[in-house]
Amino acid sequence: MAVRMAKISAVELKNCVKHGLWGSNNSLSKWQIKDMLILYADRKLAAVAEVTGEAFMDDLPVWGNGLFPYRIPVIFKYVLEPDNMIPFDSEIIGTLIDEWGLNYGWGIVAKRPMSEESSKKLIEKIAKKGGK
């Protein structure tokens, strides 16, 4: 099981939850059922989703900020309300730096799989806040 992290707006997060989809402009063919996705919005941890099906392509508009034709079905394990999202603090940033170095943003942009240790820390922070 791989765990990845991605940036999203709070508005588009609602669309992902509503449609049970994650979309990208890049192929998701390496993603597998049971993989996890940690989402953050406005530099705050926001949600955790689990991949539930195979990747596919579709040109049906779902999101207001782009087509994102490469898609994968997900179920959201945790979704925090905007006022309950977890701001990036020194512990979160430290976890990301430990994972990908000072240029950790590239690890997020590339959706590089995270180590079990790092992903567990971030998922547990979100789980403690509840949501869904």
Side-chain angles (χ1 to χ4, degrees):
M1 169 189 76
V3 179
R4 296 172 174 87
M5 190 169 186
K7 180 180 178 180
I8 193 168
S9 74
V11 171
E12 299 310 331
L13 174 58
K14 288 182 183 180
N15 282 331
C16 287
V17 172
K18 177 181 175 182
H19 296 284
L21 285 176
W22 173 254
S24 176
N25 284 320
N26 301 309
S27 174
L28 302 171
S29 63
K30 292 183 180 178
W31 294 37
Q32 299 179 5
I33 294 171
K34 299 284 184 191
D35 281 358
M36 303 291 282
L37 180 62
I38 300 169
L39 295 169
Y40 78 95
D42 302 320
R43 293 189 56 81
K44 297 175 185 175
L45 295 177
V48 177
E50 180 180 329
V51 174
T52 60
E54 300 294 324
F56 63 96
M57 286 188 68
D58 195 352
D59 61 1
L60 180 69
V62 173
W63 299 275
N65 63 340
L67 184 59
F68 308 109
Y70 297 95
R71 300 176 184 181
I72 202 154
V74 296
I75 185 167
F76 281 84
K77 300 292 190 180
Y78 306 101
V79 180
L80 302 178
E81 292 297 323
D83 61 346
N84 206 28
M85 291 178 185
I86 305 164
F88 278 23
D89 59 13
S90 59
E91 181 184 355
I92 292 170
I93 292 170
T95 298
L96 298 175
I97 290 171
D98 289 346
E99 186 65 31
W100 293 305
L102 291 174
N103 294 319
Y104 61 85
W106 287 110
I108 296 170
V109 169
K111 315 292 182 295
R112 298 188 80 142
M114 300 176 78
S115 68
E116 183 177 349
E117 181 182 353
S118 294
S119 60
K120 185 176 178 180
K121 283 181 189 178
L122 298 178
I123 291 171
E124 284 179 356
K125 277 186 146 318
I126 296 169
K128 285 179 185 176
K129 281 280 201 164
K132 177 77 179 182

